Amino acid sequence: SQQGEEDPQALSIQEGENATMNCSYKTSINNLQWYRQNSGRGLVHLILIRSNEREKHSGRLRVTLDTSKKSSSLLITASRAADTASYFCATDATGGNKLVFGAGTILRVKS
Amino acid sequence: DTGVSQDPRHKITKRGQNVTFRCDPISEHNRLYWYRQTLGQGPEFLTYFQNEAQLEKSRLLSDRFSAERPKGSFSTLEIQRTEQGDSAMYLCASRPRQGGAGELFFGEGSRLTVL
């Protein structure tokens, strides 16, 4: 079973708007990662945030982590049509060897 | 290109047939993972290798599934007596030695359709 739960399941916005996706998880973690997947393709790593970090930026991406609430959010600013994809959070559990993925958020950016 | 490569990209088979997928990880990565992804879902963990040793297997990996990583290089995932429920995308990923950043590098996947 998947540990992460993303919210919303689907999001449709206009180009230039910001997109926010949320992720909740259940166990203690070493880090939390976000991945992107274009339709029919493999996953691509976007950003990793460690359990002792609260916020991280990478280009137009901003990730926050609240370990007390076991939740994370991914913000994509100034979205582009090319950002249309599925976005997954994945947790690296403490003492574990694998990443556990959520069900994902489907983002559609309309031009 | 020195990324993770998977072969074949697409496989259509009839129920009851055996299929095998191959994954070539990034050469300096000693950890290799197989995931399965069905439509509208996130990847589900199947199994994990560190070098040639298979260190963890999911309960999803029934006795019809077997994975190997001889010599700690490429890996194969075989499904025997395929069922329609096996239809999915099978994703391979690799990861550098312990102490790395922790991200997984995925291949493009092998899509299986069982008729």
Side-chain angles (χ1 to χ4, degrees):
Chain A
S1 63
Q2 291 161 327
Q3 173 176 217
E5 298 278 342
E6 277 96 338
D7 169 55
Q9 289 186 314
L11 181 60
S12 183
I13 59 174
Q14 290 293 135
E15 205 165 28
E17 295 180 338
N18 295 342
T20 299
M21 289 160 263
N22 303 296
C23 167
S24 60
Y25 58 92
K26 297 174 185 171
T27 64
S28 297
I29 61 171
N30 287 326
N31 63 64
L32 185 143
Q33 305 180 32
W34 286 89
Y35 287 78
R36 166 198 167 120
Q37 184 179 36
N38 286 70
S39 182
R41 307 293 297 273
L43 282 77
V44 175
H45 179 262
L46 293 176
I47 194 166
L48 179 153
I49 185 165
R50 300 195 185 282
S51 59
N52 61 353
E53 297 175 311
R54 291 297 167 257
E55 187 171 314
K56 201 160 183 181
H57 296 253
S58 176
R60 293 184 296 112
L61 305 179
R62 187 185 83 142
V63 171
T64 61
L65 179 64
D66 186 336
T67 52
S68 67
K69 294 181 179 178
K70 291 187 167 59
S71 68
S72 172
S73 68
L74 171 68
L75 168 68
I76 303 174
T77 60
S79 63
R80 305 166 181 168
D83 294 329
T84 295
S86 293
Y87 292 82
F88 297 92
C89 70
T91 50
D92 209 350
T94 305
N97 291 307
K98 63 182 183 286
L99 290 187
V100 178
F101 287 83
T105 293
I106 300 170
L107 173 65
R108 181 183 171 210
V109 181
K110 295 176 283 187
S111 56
Chain B
D1 185 283
T2 56
V4 178
S5 64
Q6 293 189 244
D7 182 68
R9 291 289 314 279
H10 303 276
K11 179 72 177 179
I12 300 173
T13 191
K14 292 182 179 178
R15 191 163 47 111
Q17 298 294 304
N18 299 344
V19 296
T20 299
F21 301 115
R22 175 180 170 127
C23 171
D24 286 89
I26 294 172
S27 58
E28 59 268 27
H29 290 184
N30 70 331
R31 294 183 284 174
L32 187 148
Y33 300 77
W34 285 99
Y35 284 83
R36 181 172 71 185
Q37 185 179 27
T38 54
L39 200 62
Q41 298 298 313
E44 293 179 294
F45 170 78
L46 291 179
T47 190
Y48 154 66
F49 290 85
Q50 184 164 303
N51 300 312
E52 66 275 11
Q54 188 174 20
L55 296 185
E56 191 170 347
K57 288 169 61 172
S58 164
R59 283 170 289 179
L60 291 174
L61 217 64
S62 75
D63 56 5
R64 296 184 299 105
F65 287 70
S66 63
E68 294 182 341
R69 193 183 182 196
K71 303 178 184 177
S73 56
F74 72 91
S75 176
T76 57
L77 176 68
E78 181 183 18
I79 309 173
Q80 295 182 324
R81 305 181 304 281
T82 52
E83 302 172 355
Q84 288 185 324
D86 297 330
S87 295
M89 175 80 91
Y90 290 85
L91 294 161
C92 176
S94 67
R95 209 175 195 181
R97 295 180 183 280
Q98 213 83 24
E103 67 185 272
L104 287 180
F105 294 78
F106 280 87
E108 294 288 4
S110 292
R111 179 168 295 284
L112 173 65
T113 302
V114 182
L115 302 175

